[in-house]
Amino acid sequence: MNRFSPKLALVVIAGGVAVSGCATKRYVREQVAPVAQRVDTLEAKLQETDGTAKSALAEAQAAAGQAQANGQRLDQVSGRVDGVEQRLTVQEQKRAKRPRH
């Protein structure tokens, strides 16, 4: 009765396949480490890009505010120039109506 039983052989083969198919923690760490490093690098670059974008947005908003303020000043100056031109026109008309001696 020293025969090798088929059930035992099946258990041994199934166990061998199961053990050889499992990845060890070390193997997984070795495989994941380069990916994790790339993710960390990309995350750092993303944060840098986000900071640059936020800075550019702040500068653009400040420039838009300055442009609006300059536009308001220009409108004020234009109004003043229009008033000066009107007074000048009135004075010229008065001079033209005066009889010359």
Side-chain angles (χ1 to χ4, degrees):
M1 272 217 236
N2 265 341
R3 284 183 84 185
F4 194 64
S5 105
K7 288 183 183 178
L8 181 60
L10 183 59
V11 170
V12 170
I13 291 172
V17 169
V19 170
S20 67
C22 292
T24 64
K25 289 181 183 179
R26 180 179 173 197
Y27 175 80
V28 171
R29 274 186 250 135
E30 288 173 356
Q31 297 303 309
V32 171
V35 175
Q37 288 174 346
R38 283 187 253 157
V39 168
D40 290 344
T41 300
L42 291 174
E43 189 175 75
K45 287 181 181 179
L46 178 61
Q47 289 176 352
E48 180 183 341
T49 301
D50 186 51
T52 302
K54 286 179 181 179
S55 176
L57 176 61
E59 289 178 20
Q61 289 172 334
Q66 186 64 45
Q68 184 176 9
N70 290 343
Q72 290 172 348
R73 286 186 206 139
L74 183 59
D75 289 343
Q76 292 172 353
V77 169
S78 293
R80 292 173 71 185
V81 168
D82 289 344
V84 169
E85 286 178 340
Q86 288 174 354
R87 285 188 297 231
L88 184 60
T89 301
V90 168
Q91 287 177 359
E92 288 175 350
Q93 289 173 351
K94 285 182 181 179
R95 284 185 189 160
K97 288 182 182 179
R98 286 185 193 167
R100 293 189 180 183
H101 297 65

